[in-house]
Amino acid sequence: MAIEAEKLNQPSRARRVLDTLRDPVIMIDSANFITFANLQAEYFFSSSISQISKQLLDDYIAFSSPLLALIEQVREENAPINEYRVDLSSPRLGSNRLVDIHVTPVNE
C-alpha cells in the first residue's frame, strides 16, 4: 500500500520541485500546445498557469523566433540543445527578453 500512495504523489512532488526553480520551464506537445508550465513560466509569460496551458507556444513567441527553429531541430535530432542570449522579445512578451534556452526531448 505504501508504494501505491507514493506513486500517486509523484506528479505533485515533481511539480513542487519544478515550481522551486528560478527559471521558466514549459513542456509542449507535438502540436506546440503548452502541456506544463511552472510558476516562473507564469511570471515570464505574464499569464496564469491555467491560461498558459490552453495556448500554443506560438501564441506567445514571435513567428520568426529562433526558439521555434530550435524546437524543430530537437525534434528532428531527438537530442537536447542549448542556445544562449536568444531574443524572445515580442509584442505579447515585451522587449529586452534575452534568455538562455535549453530544449530537451522528453519521450513518453
Side-chain angles (χ1 to χ4, degrees):
M1 252 340 179
I3 293 173
E4 289 300 316
E6 193 167 316
K7 283 183 182 178
L8 291 174
N9 289 329
Q10 289 302 319
S12 63
R13 281 186 186 166
R15 170 141 207 120
R16 285 194 311 257
V17 169
L18 291 170
D19 281 343
T20 64
L21 297 177
R22 298 180 80 194
D23 296 315
V25 175
I26 63 168
M27 291 182 72
I28 59 171
D29 65 11
S30 60
N32 282 358
F33 274 99
I34 299 171
T35 60
F36 172 84
N38 71 348
L39 287 176
Q40 286 300 319
E42 181 176 4
Y43 300 128
F44 183 83
F45 291 114
S46 298
S47 210
S48 70
I49 290 172
S50 61
Q51 192 65 23
I52 293 169
S53 65
K54 298 175 185 175
Q55 302 291 318
L56 285 166
L57 178 62
D58 310 52
D59 294 333
Y60 289 97
I61 304 300
F63 175 76
S64 60
S65 173
L67 174 58
L68 299 175
L70 290 172
I71 291 169
E72 284 308 311
Q73 184 177 349
V74 167
R75 286 178 176 152
E76 289 172 8
E77 297 175 7
N78 197 33
I81 218 170
N82 298 322
E83 199 66 37
Y84 302 96
R85 298 194 48 81
V86 176
D87 187 6
L88 291 185
S89 301
S90 72
R92 186 162 187 174
L93 294 178
S95 59
N96 298 323
R97 291 294 189 146
L98 287 177
V99 299
D100 297 337
I101 296 176
H102 310 281
V103 183
T104 303
V106 176
N107 300 318
E108 294 187 44

